[in-house]
Amino acid sequence: MKKCSNPSHPHCTLWVVPGEVACASGHAQTAPAPSSYDLLRGVRGARADSAAALGGAGAPARDAAAKGHAHLHISGFDPRAAGGRQTLKMELRGMPNGCAPQITMQLQSDLIPHGAARQQFVRTTRGDWRPVFVEFSSRDKEHGQYQIEVEVRSQAEGKAAQKWVCTFVILVPRLDATLTEIHQIFLSTHKNVRVMADDASIARVSTQAGASFDLDVTARNAGIAQVDLSAPQGKIDMGFTTIAWDEELIEIDVPGASRAHPHPSRAACLVNAAPEAGAQRQVRLFALEECVLGRFELVDPEADILLSHFGADGQDTNGLTRRLSGRHAVIRRGNNGFEIEDISRYGILLDGVWPGKHKPTPLRLGMRIELSASIKGITVLSVTAIMPHGVILHRIDLGAPAECFYLLAPDKHPGYPLPNFIAASNAAALPLMFHHDGGFWHLDQLTGKETALDPGASLDKLTRVAKHSRFAATPYPESWIIRNDGGNGHSTLAPAQPSMLTA
């Protein structure tokens, strides 16, 4: 507290609480002049802000985080394990608050299996990020320095995409290298190297008196850290449990801001004319909440998946095909996974048994679906893959070389780590597809690379089955399909292009 500071009432002796605009007598108070302590605090704050802006060593990690400087904290690397298995613990620090709750990290390096790996950071309820672990092996790798390139991407809903990058170096020493050589070389190739002891472990550094090492030895959680600089001449012993350092993430511009798909679509087709496929196959893609299976019609069909009978002479759009209902069955995603429901006049058989009309039945791997129940062999399908974001159906009748079907949940990414979906042999070689950002994507399960599918996309470098394929913007590019748009007088056409299909 202080006395009244009104210059017009110098004899007022009333005490005033700091922050009050007037004393008890109503005398207005003037703003106090800054004290020397306030000036010193301001100078210190300005210095801290400058250090953080320049990224200097004097700016603590928490200050950098407060100023929005993103860092990737890397720990757990042990260069002594030359030719063995390694695990890196990677933590995000100082990320902006506007990031998506899940952030994707792509790593590329010759050390990582298949040359690339993808991980996903998840925000915890405390606001920080759950760490991820990256495993690799230096077995049969030539000793030397290996770069690991990191790309961190955030795609929050309704916001522009953000991307950060950094590159760091991992040392793979010779198998016969001494600990002294390993540590000296490691220090020369990294910054902010720390020797740490966590969780009741021991960190010990012993070296000659007078030797110069830039070490930060830390012991936490009942760990023990010891530094001995009085060892006898010629003797140097070093021991450490882990090495950790920070890499600053540099934000870069993302072309296009948002990851809008170049060709939004809910139904499309991969036309595969590869000789190794045996015959041309249409891989038909659908991304619908409910996918209706029904009779093939060229004009105003009622179904999404248009089925027809295949005989010895090929497709027969009349004859037995007329014994399929326009809306024969529907496949949807239920509470317990994907399920099928009979909505037809003629019925369906699931593994030889009629489930009953309007009774949803869960799909299972290998399930045999026959349309219809009254006449067998019109159309027979098999569930050849069950994934978290969709199912794959193959024809197992005479139409098997002609088409198969992807039924995908709309705008659903399969997530990371990549799913090991349950698939039969005839679906295992097919590419992994998903629907996101309004369109279809191919996902390379080895590298995690995502390729947007559109008519101009090059598919030669995808999987073996997709090689020599092209993307069609309609699920039935080989036929003219006229669909009325809800009775509004509009129609859409899928043109037949036989010259392209038989190329």
Side-chain angles (χ1 to χ4, degrees), residues 102-436:
Q102 292 184 340
I103 291 182
T104 301
M105 179 178 65
Q106 175 82 16
L107 300 102
Q108 291 185 339
S109 175
D110 291 339
L111 285 176
I112 299 175
H114 310 296
R118 181 165 292 205
Q119 300 283 348
Q120 190 159 344
F121 291 99
V122 179
R123 192 190 295 272
T124 67
T125 56
R126 298 178 303 181
D128 54 358
W129 299 91
R130 182 181 178 182
V132 301
F133 296 87
V134 179
E135 295 184 347
F136 64 93
S137 174
S138 57
R139 184 180 300 277
D140 300 326
K141 295 291 185 181
E142 183 181 359
H143 76 274
Q145 300 176 16
Y146 289 81
Q147 290 187 1
I148 297 183
E149 298 179 359
V150 180
E151 177 185 303
V152 178
R153 179 185 286 266
S154 169
Q155 180 67 59
E157 185 176 357
K159 295 185 179 181
Q162 292 178 280
K163 184 164 69 173
W164 296 263
V165 295
C166 74
T167 301
F168 60 92
V169 177
I170 289 293
L171 169 69
V172 175
R174 304 189 316 271
L175 292 177
D176 60 347
T178 65
L179 295 182
T180 302
E181 293 174 331
I182 291 175
H183 201 258
Q184 287 178 338
I185 297 175
F186 190 84
L187 283 173
S188 67
T189 57
H190 289 75
K191 59 181 181 294
N192 287 338
V193 178
R194 300 182 181 93
V195 178
M196 307 179 68
D198 289 328
D199 301 327
S201 57
I202 299 176
R204 181 173 58 251
V205 177
S206 300
T207 183
Q208 294 179 180
S212 177
F213 284 94
D214 183 12
L215 297 177
D216 179 7
V217 182
T218 305
R220 296 184 303 196
N221 299 333
I224 300 175
Q226 177 183 351
V227 179
D228 182 9
L229 299 179
S230 60
Q233 183 71 21
K235 179 182 179 181
I236 300 178
D237 294 325
M238 293 185 177
F240 43 86
T241 58
T242 183
I243 293 179
W245 69 96
D246 291 328
E247 290 290 344
E248 183 174 3
L249 292 172
I250 303 174
E251 187 171 4
I252 61 176
D253 292 333
V254 180
S258 63
R259 195 178 76 155
H261 196 281
H263 190 87
S265 176
R266 288 297 183 96
C269 184
L270 280 180
V271 183
N272 178 26
E276 60 265 26
Q280 180 177 315
R281 178 187 296 277
Q282 313 282 347
V283 181
R284 311 195 194 275
L285 309 175
F286 298 90
L288 302 169
E289 297 292 346
E290 290 190 348
C291 195
V292 179
L293 291 72
R295 183 177 61 247
F296 183 92
E297 296 284 359
L298 289 175
V299 179
D300 198 16
E302 301 179 60
D304 304 302
I305 295 181
L306 306 180
L307 299 172
S308 58
H309 175 66
F310 279 78
D313 298 328
Q315 184 180 15
D316 179 15
T317 56
N318 294 308
L320 289 178
T321 299
R322 310 309 300 175
R323 297 303 301 267
L324 298 175
S325 297
R327 293 171 54 87
H328 203 108
V330 60
I331 293 179
R332 65 174 69 89
R333 185 183 179 91
N335 295 330
N336 298 319
F338 290 89
E339 58 189 22
I340 186 171
E341 179 182 346
D342 179 15
I343 57 174
S344 69
R345 293 177 53 192
Y346 304 106
I348 64 174
L349 295 178
L350 303 179
D351 291 330
V353 178
W354 179 55
K357 194 171 183 178
H358 300 303
K359 293 183 178 180
T361 303
L363 295 177
R364 65 171 184 82
L365 185 66
M367 175 181 282
R368 180 186 177 97
I369 304 172
E370 296 186 58
L371 288 75
S372 63
S374 57
I375 300 179
K376 294 186 178 181
I378 299 179
T379 299
V380 185
L381 306 173
S382 176
V383 180
T384 52
I386 297 181
M387 306 172 287
H389 65 295
V391 295
I392 300 178
L393 303 178
H394 273 77
R395 297 192 68 138
I396 53 176
D397 50 19
L398 292 179
E403 58 186 357
C404 69
F405 309 94
Y406 277 72
L407 280 60
L408 304 173
D411 289 308
K412 182 175 177 59
H413 197 284
Y416 300 99
L418 300 182
N420 266 327
F421 59 87
I422 305 174
S425 58
N426 52 353
L430 286 178
L432 177 58
M433 306 288 182
F434 67 97
H435 187 270
H436 203 249

